[in-house]
Amino acid sequence: MSIISTIMEFIHLLQNRRSKRKFTTQKVETEKVESLMQAALMSPTGKRKNHWDFIFIETPETLVKLSECKPHGAKLIAGAPLAVVVIGDPQQSDTWVEDCSIASIILQLQAEALGLGSCWVQIHNREHDSTTMADTYTKTLLGIPEEKAVLSVVAMGYPDETKKAFDLSELMQEKIHREGF
Ligand SMILES: Cc1cc2nc3c(=O)[nH]c(=O)nc-3n(C[C@H](O)[C@H](O)[C@H](O)COP(=O)(O)O)c2cc1C
């Protein structure tokens, strides 16, 4: 494969990865779920400590409860056939936010490569209500140990909406600096 076609293939994936929040009812095939698990486990971590955990959820009732983790921006989980809860361990790793963020985007890119759509739902630093954090709600719902922390939920499935791909000629070139700010 030529360098140009290799570049084009990955850029094409990145161009087409837009957040999808509507999904068909089609289940994600077992082979695809397994490859998403492999992708998560290969995501890089500080010092390769791997202080993360992933909960794959396909049970509709649990997905509905998970969608109630925060008042805004989480309802889409209820309509997804699959959601992955990305969990870190702040006591074990001072790079847990970075590690879990990388794993979240790796899951999204692998989902895209598998023909699935996905959306990141932020849990860390978000409120469930005036007294409970979304993190605490999620940990209680799923039996996650108290000392862990939930960074995100990546909802995914076959998309039931289309989104415009990024136009390479419209990217914010002014954000790119060379040799200094
Ligand atoms: C750190 C982070 C947190 C996000 N949290 C949410 C969220 O809670 N709910 C949601 O619907 N989308 C969430 N998103 C998706 C963004 O809204 C989305 O990426 C953004 O609007 C750009 O759209 P695009 O992904 O199609 O480029 C989040 C994305 C990131 C990177």
Side-chain angles (χ1 to χ4, degrees):
M1 191 182 280
S2 74
I3 288 178
I4 296 295
S5 59
T6 306
I7 291 170
M8 291 308 293
E9 217 169 277
F10 194 64
I11 280 283
H12 192 68
L13 187 85
L14 297 175
Q15 272 181 277
N16 284 290
R17 189 236 33 95
R18 303 305 310 269
S19 296
K20 306 282 165 38
R21 297 182 175 85
K22 291 186 184 131
F23 307 96
T24 69
T25 52
Q26 187 180 343
K27 240 177 93 65
V28 178
E29 297 84 342
T30 307
E31 296 79 4
K32 292 194 177 184
V33 174
E34 281 167 5
S35 97
L36 287 159
M37 291 172 175
Q38 290 170 334
L41 295 174
M42 286 189 281
S43 61
T45 57
K47 299 182 187 162
R48 200 15 98 192
K49 293 274 189 185
N50 300 353
H51 287 304
W52 29 224
D53 289 274
F54 306 94
I55 305 180
F56 281 66
I57 298 171
E58 295 179 272
T59 306
E61 297 75 39
T62 311
L63 290 165
V64 168
K65 285 184 190 147
L66 194 55
S67 77
E68 291 159 6
C69 62
K70 60 177 187 175
H72 307 289
K75 293 284 170 287
L76 66 117
I77 299 170
L82 172 66
V84 185
V85 181
V86 182
I87 304 155
D89 192 333
Q91 289 181 6
Q92 297 291 331
S93 172
D94 62 0
T95 59
W96 77 271
V97 172
E98 292 84 352
D99 295 345
C100 290
S101 297
I102 293 167
S104 301
I105 193 65
I106 291 270
L107 279 162
Q108 287 200 273
L109 292 177
Q110 180 63 4
E112 190 67 37
L114 294 168
L116 304 168
S118 70
C119 188
W120 176 319
V121 174
Q122 181 73 9
I123 302 296
H124 179 51
N125 284 339
R126 294 290 177 266
E127 287 176 357
H128 167 66
D129 59 23
S130 57
T131 56
T132 311
M133 295 303 285
D135 167 86
T136 307
Y137 173 91
T138 308
K139 287 196 291 195
T140 305
L141 175 67
L142 301 173
I144 300 166
E146 178 60 32
E147 71 275 13
K148 307 276 185 190
V150 181
L151 181 95
S152 70
V153 175
V154 181
M156 53 183 90
Y158 287 94
D160 201 14
E161 62 175 328
T162 48
K163 287 262 181 88
K164 197 171 164 285
F166 284 104
D167 183 336
L168 296 183
S169 68
E170 288 176 7
L171 298 180
M172 301 172 78
Q173 297 296 342
E174 69 276 17
K175 296 287 185 186
I176 305 292
H177 310 271
R178 292 177 191 265
E179 317 295 344
F181 199 91

